[in-house]
Amino acid sequence: GAGVSQSPSNKVTEKGKDVELRCDPISGHTALYWYRQRLGQGLEFLIYFQGNSAPDKSGLPSDRFSAERTGESVSTLTIQRTQQEDSAVYLCASSRITLSYNEQFFGPGTRLTVL
Amino acid sequence: DAKTTQPTSMDCAEGRAANLPCNHSTISGNEYVYWYRQIHSQGPQYIIHGLKNNETNEMASLIITEDRKSSTLILPHATLRDTAVYYCIVRPSGGNKLVFGAGTILRVKS
């Protein structure tokens, strides 16, 4: 079946511009996550959506970052006034949730380069 | 979330078992041990998880010590395609985010 998809796969932008990244989760997965991975580093949690609950935004690094998700469908991550330190791969994941089991399925990521 | 400690890198000969250790000495009773791996230029991939008992699936085995302060991921017959960064993560029951450390770079060599 279809996995998590993300678009665009690559994005090059100029410093100060806004960018929007898209994630299509696996159908039926109520949970959706955004992570950032800088070159050579591990993943940093950004934000988490679970159904209609208020999102967990604890990982967003600044108010330039925001994300939306409508119901259990597509999510967009928006970065306003991009800075060079925003350059990274942005990864989206989705999962079903149970108390004991939470396998997150990751998309291929969007590589963002801010010039 | 409990912190994990893993070696920076390991080498393994193709066809041999790869044993990747992880220390999680501050793990609490309701926290699970998860393993993911990330092959170059791809998103992370789930491998296995466990709470107390040893677990095995088609990809790997997970051995958790009796005191739960450490665990070992075993790839029984490593192949070149198993070359990746392996992340050991401790997650509370029902917890939603995964806290990824630096992981272990496993290089499988022919």
Side-chain angles (χ1 to χ4, degrees):
Chain A
V4 177
S5 61
Q6 292 185 245
S7 61
S9 55
N10 281 284
K11 176 73 177 176
V12 180
T13 190
E14 293 179 347
K15 178 180 172 181
K17 302 274 190 176
D18 297 352
V19 295
E20 193 171 276
L21 313 179
R22 177 186 168 107
C23 172
D24 283 87
I26 293 173
S27 177
H29 281 189
T30 59
L32 186 147
Y33 315 76
W34 283 98
Y35 295 87
R36 176 172 71 178
Q37 187 170 33
R38 291 195 167 114
L39 186 65
Q41 298 185 20
L43 279 72
E44 300 172 66
F45 167 81
L46 296 178
I47 188 169
Y48 158 72
F49 296 91
Q50 165 62 6
N52 294 319
S53 302
D56 176 352
K57 303 180 182 180
S58 60
L60 293 179
S62 77
D63 59 7
R64 297 187 294 105
F65 288 71
S66 63
E68 292 184 352
R69 186 186 189 197
T70 306
E72 296 180 359
S73 61
V74 170
S75 175
T76 55
L77 176 69
T78 302
I79 308 173
Q80 296 178 309
R81 305 181 302 281
T82 52
Q83 304 293 312
Q84 288 181 332
E85 68 255 25
D86 299 334
S87 295
V89 176
Y90 289 83
L91 289 155
C92 174
S94 71
S95 72
R96 290 189 292 266
I97 292 282
T98 69
L99 280 179
S100 65
Y101 181 67
N102 177 0
E103 177 182 348
Q104 295 189 15
F105 293 83
F106 283 81
T110 293
R111 182 175 299 277
L112 175 66
T113 303
V114 182
L115 302 176
Chain B
D1 296 336
K3 182 179 169 60
T4 63
T5 304
Q6 299 178 252
T8 304
S9 65
M10 294 181 65
D11 291 342
C12 178
E14 189 178 19
R16 297 289 192 137
N19 297 283
L20 293 96
C22 179
N23 285 325
H24 30 79
S25 58
T26 60
I27 194 169
S28 58
N30 69 341
E31 290 182 315
Y32 286 75
V33 180
Y34 275 72
W35 283 82
Y36 279 74
R37 73 178 183 185
Q38 188 173 24
I39 294 170
H40 183 61
S41 298
Q42 297 182 22
Q45 174 192 23
Y46 166 86
I47 301 173
I48 199 167
H49 77 285
L51 182 62
K52 297 181 187 177
N53 300 322
N54 298 337
E55 302 288 345
T56 295
N57 63 21
E58 65 278 5
M59 288 183 70
S61 294
L62 175 60
I63 308 298
I64 302 174
T65 58
E66 192 169 340
D67 63 8
R68 304 211 318 124
K69 294 187 176 185
S70 65
S71 60
T72 301
L73 178 75
I74 301 172
L75 308 179
H77 305 287
T79 71
L80 297 178
R81 288 175 296 180
D82 292 323
T83 293
V85 179
Y86 287 77
Y87 297 100
C88 170
I89 299 160
V90 171
R91 185 185 74 83
S93 174
N96 45 39
K97 61 190 178 189
L98 299 175
V99 179
F100 286 79
T104 295
I105 299 170
L106 176 67
R107 299 185 192 91
V108 181
K109 301 183 175 182
S110 58

